[in-house]
Amino acid sequence: MISAEAWVPADDLRLEDNAYYAAVETDCSLLITAGPGAGKTELLAQRADFLLRTGNCLYPRKILAISFKVDASKNLRNRVQQRCGYAFASRFESRTFHSFAKLLIDKFLPLLPEEDALPPDYTVGSQRIDNKQIDYNSMIPLALQLITDYPFIVKILRSTYTDIFLDEFQDCTSSQYELIKKIFKESQLRIIAVGDDKQRIMGWAGALNEVFETFKTDFSAKHIGLLQNHRSKRLLRLFQNEVIEAISPHYALSFDTTLPFEGALEFHFSSTQEEEANNLVAYIEKWINEGIPLSEIAVLTRSHLDIVTYDLQAKLKAKKIPFRDDQQLQRITSDPLARFVLDYLLILTSKHSPTAWTSFSNSLKYIYDENFNPETLSISKIRQNVQSKINSISWNEVWELATGMLNDIGGNKLSVLSNEYNSLARMQQSVTTLRHELEERIKDGSNVSQAITQIGTNNVVRLLSVHKAKGLEFESVIFQGIEEESFWGDEHEEMCTFFVGISRAKSNLVLTKTSSRPLPPNTSRRWTEERNLHKKFYSFYYSTKNTVDPLWNLF
């Protein structure tokens, strides 16, 4: 343990003044508003390091972090482990709102009212089944019911934690906020809420209007803004700033236009979706030839990813450029047990898999302890055997090795990988879903190693919706379909969605519009094939280009 005065940011990182203040503040709750690339996750990780190392969060008490999405929760947990080490990180709980609600339900299951009673081995699914299964929409209301009926639960929670982190706070719904408010308002706990009102894109899911002001009032929180964008090149930041001026003018920055604007920004028009796909593949091939890793290339859509990227996927297949539809797979790849199995399969079947080795070893240290030697599981010997017959080994052989590894470790130990693994059935569901996805790719013509690589690594071009891309960043981004037919919701929310999409890019951003987007064969859906340019969004691009070079559109 060290004094607060002796603490410095972990890994010798430099924090801007406001971020440093937020990391070390201990006298009040905080509301942090920050744009894309401002380092929100890093700030929370550094604050966790400060609280744990300086004794502001003393053993056995913990820090509770609650995020809106599973991948955001996982990313934050991983970052805290990197900055704090496993010993301190063991007292950092990173959950989603649903995971937190489920924790309360699991711990106080016998207290549920008779009409909501659930057995110890209850399941979670899309529908609610009396006395057997709970659906996601019921979790938070049930947790609220428990803490309302049994106030002692609130006392237990307040004595368990010293600090609460609320990530992506702009997407907090009224019921989620009510849960936080009922438990932690008027307590001695420090609450730090972090978000960006320019990225509020979950209104369709019930995100609460004016949640920042409500939080400031309810928790007497001090408001701090992080201004610096550490992610995007200067030209892209100028483009983002055009959108910011339309959403929240007081957040807009001034730029010195005499300095060079690094980065690439293009708006591509085409007559057909097939023509668009041909040109986009050319962009992707160009980036690959420039040395940009596949993992740093992403294709985004506002919605209907399968339709908008249909021709592009066909062209990528024809060019043998690896890609992955993250819309389908993100839940699998962010599941800790599925990730653990994927890492193991990658180690066995790939020639070089340093990232998988690191991830798998870290998981084993989490399961056992920091001194655990992965070779206890004879991994090198098993891998050598697999590699000796990699061109002929069957899928069943490889999968049996994976299940054998899981059986050797045991369900009790594996359950520590996630707070959601309250039953063997839940863990089996994760593994079964992964197996199904791998087998589907093998049926489509991929060999065993290719199927595992497509799902298990990020060394692919990633296709995903803007909602799924939130919190991620890529060197090069293609944003398909800047068309009126794609952005049809609340004007402010769609502006925020557009902002989230364009702010994923670090160096290169290509926006597209095509005149025609037909439905793929054998697809039945309400759809408008003829497409029209979204003139408002194009005006931001036009203004940016005109600022950089007033003569750009004259020829």
Side-chain angles (χ1 to χ4, degrees):
M1 190 180 300
I2 61 173
S3 67
E5 293 72 23
W7 180 83
V8 294
D11 295 332
D12 296 322
L13 292 178
R14 295 185 62 182
L15 303 176
E16 63 174 279
D17 290 346
N18 279 355
Y20 182 87
Y21 174 83
V24 302
E25 170 59 43
T26 57
D27 293 331
C28 64
S29 292
L30 298 172
L31 171 65
I32 310 296
T33 52
K40 298 185 288 291
T41 302
E42 186 60 49
L43 163 62
L44 293 177
Q46 294 288 351
R47 179 167 175 79
D49 184 75
F50 170 80
L51 294 169
L52 293 164
R53 289 189 192 279
T54 61
N56 277 284
C57 177
L58 274 174
Y59 180 86
R61 297 183 77 184
K62 302 177 182 180
I63 299 170
L64 172 65
I66 305 180
S67 302
F68 193 80
K69 297 196 309 182
V70 173
D71 53 350
S73 174
K74 178 185 176 184
N75 289 341
L76 180 55
R77 181 178 66 247
N78 291 343
R79 187 74 63 89
V80 170
Q81 288 176 355
Q82 292 170 11
R83 299 293 178 252
C84 302
Y86 284 89
F88 282 127
S90 65
R91 289 195 289 123
F92 182 84
E93 285 187 23
S94 187
R95 299 179 177 274
T96 62
F97 275 102
H98 284 103
S99 170
F100 180 56
K102 189 174 185 301
L103 170 71
L104 300 183
I105 293 169
D106 290 345
K107 284 187 175 295
F108 303 102
L109 198 65
L111 301 181
L112 289 174
E114 185 176 349
E115 63 271 18
D116 295 315
L118 291 166
D121 61 345
Y122 75 92
T123 56
V124 178
S126 59
Q127 294 182 333
R128 187 165 179 176
I129 303 173
D130 289 345
N131 303 119
K132 183 176 181 181
Q133 179 171 287
I134 188 175
D135 65 317
Y136 289 99
N137 291 334
S138 299
M139 286 183 175
I140 292 174
L142 271 185
L144 277 167
Q145 187 67 48
L146 281 169
I147 62 174
T148 301
D149 292 345
Y150 301 97
F152 74 87
I153 297 177
V154 171
K155 293 182 180 180
I156 292 173
L157 292 170
R158 291 181 179 182
S159 64
T160 300
Y161 307 106
T162 62
D163 292 81
I164 310 299
F165 294 1
L166 303 174
D167 194 14
E168 299 290 356
F169 190 57
Q170 72 279 350
D171 290 330
C172 189
T173 66
S174 57
S175 61
Q176 291 166 349
Y177 184 73
E178 185 66 18
L179 184 65
I180 295 299
K181 181 178 174 181
K182 276 199 170 186
I183 298 173
F184 300 117
K185 186 183 177 185
E186 299 177 354
S187 71
Q188 298 302 309
L189 277 68
R190 295 173 293 250
I191 320 289
I192 179 170
V194 181
D196 181 1
D197 58 359
K198 299 180 297 302
Q199 296 191 58
R200 183 181 175 274
I201 63 176
M202 301 299 286
W204 58 272
L208 188 64
N209 284 317
E210 306 298 334
V211 68
F212 290 168
E213 292 302 319
T214 302
F215 174 80
K216 281 171 61 178
T217 300
D218 288 341
F219 290 89
S220 302
K222 184 172 184 178
H223 185 191
I224 298 174
L226 302 184
L227 300 178
Q228 295 184 27
N229 180 339
H230 304 282
R231 172 191 296 156
S232 302
K233 293 287 180 67
R234 200 159 180 265
L235 175 60
L236 301 186
R237 287 164 58 194
L238 178 64
F239 180 45
Q240 295 164 20
N241 205 51
E242 292 286 341
V243 186
I244 290 171
E245 285 187 343
I247 299 174
S248 302
H250 57 285
Y251 281 113
L253 302 176
S254 59
F255 284 85
D256 183 350
T257 55
T258 64
L259 296 176
F261 284 92
E262 297 178 319
L265 171 64
E266 298 184 49
F267 206 116
H268 185 271
F269 292 86
S270 58
S271 299
T272 67
Q273 188 165 273
E274 183 178 10
E275 177 191 334
E276 176 191 64
N278 284 326
N279 285 287
L280 293 185
V281 167
Y283 277 112
I284 292 170
E285 288 182 314
K286 173 177 174 286
W287 291 331
I288 293 171
N289 292 333
E290 290 173 353
I292 295 177
L294 290 170
S295 59
E296 286 290 333
I297 301 173
V299 180
L300 310 183
T301 69
R302 164 63 179 83
S303 59
H304 301 294
L305 184 77
D306 56 334
I307 299 175
V308 177
T309 66
Y310 179 80
D311 287 288
L312 177 60
Q313 291 190 40
K315 301 297 181 183
L316 290 171
K317 285 180 181 177
K319 292 282 188 176
K320 299 189 184 305
I321 299 175
F323 69 93
R324 184 174 73 211
D325 180 349
D326 270 18
Q327 197 74 3
Q328 300 292 333
L329 294 176
Q330 200 170 43
R331 181 173 290 276
I332 295 175
T333 55
S334 63
D335 184 288
L337 183 56
R339 179 74 262 172
F340 183 64
V341 176
L342 274 170
D343 288 334
Y344 183 69
L345 293 173
L346 283 166
I347 290 168
L348 298 187
T349 61
S350 302
K351 290 183 179 179
H352 304 287
S353 50
T355 303
W357 268 109
T358 301
S359 176
F360 187 75
S361 298
N362 287 341
S363 295
L364 286 175
K365 291 175 182 178
Y366 197 71
I367 292 169
Y368 293 98
D369 60 59
E370 287 205 49
N371 298 316
F372 182 79
N373 182 0
E375 284 312 309
T376 303
L377 300 174
S378 303
I379 297 175
S380 292
K381 183 178 179 180
I382 296 171
R383 181 181 184 276
Q384 187 176 13
N385 181 48
V386 171
Q387 289 293 316
S388 68
K389 52 181 179 179
I390 191 63
N391 294 323
S392 61
I393 193 167
S394 71
W395 163 242
N396 286 336
E397 287 180 86
V398 172
W399 186 252
E400 284 178 9
L401 292 172
T403 55
M405 178 272 296
L406 295 176
N407 289 331
D408 287 343
I409 296 174
N412 287 338
K413 288 186 173 67
L414 290 168
S415 64
V416 305
L417 289 173
S418 173
N419 300 315
E420 296 184 10
Y421 297 149
N422 67 311
S423 68
L424 183 60
R426 171 66 180 85
M427 296 168 68
Q428 289 173 334
Q429 181 185 39
S430 296
V431 176
T432 301
T433 302
L434 171 62
R435 178 176 183 174
H436 172 75
E437 289 295 335
L438 288 166
E439 289 177 343
E440 285 298 308
R441 274 151 186 75
I442 293 171
K443 288 178 184 177
D444 287 342
S446 300
N447 62 37
V448 173
S449 181
Q450 288 171 337
I452 294 168
T453 299
Q454 287 170 7
I455 295 181
T457 75
N458 283 332
N459 192 31
V460 292
V461 176
R462 296 170 67 182
L463 280 53
L464 59 170
S465 70
V466 173
H467 288 86
K468 292 292 184 182
K470 206 169 176 197
L472 304 178
E473 58 184 50
F474 304 91
E475 198 67 31
S476 299
V477 169
I478 294 168
F479 195 167
Q480 280 188 265
I482 310 305
E483 300 147 2
E484 291 181 356
E485 292 74 19
S486 297
F487 295 85
W488 39 261
D490 174 81
E491 182 179 357
H492 179 80
E493 187 166 323
E494 294 298 351
M495 191 91 72
C496 293
T497 299
F498 180 69
F499 177 73
V500 170
I502 65 174
S503 59
R504 301 309 95 194
K506 293 186 283 187
S507 297
N508 306 300
L509 176 63
V510 176
L511 308 169
T512 79
K513 181 268 176 184
T514 185
S515 300
S516 173
R517 292 195 187 279
L519 280 174
N522 303 316
T523 302
S524 177
R525 201 175 303 177
R526 187 177 179 182
W527 186 252
T528 303
E529 182 173 331
E530 183 178 343
R531 315 299 278 187
N532 295 284
L533 175 67
H534 197 297
K535 295 178 182 178
K536 180 68 172 178
F537 294 164
Y538 180 76
S539 72
F540 300 136
Y541 169 82
Y542 185 93
S543 180
T544 302
K545 286 289 197 177
N546 199 55
T547 299
V548 176
D549 181 5
L551 301 178
W552 76 278
N553 201 32
L554 295 182
F555 303 98

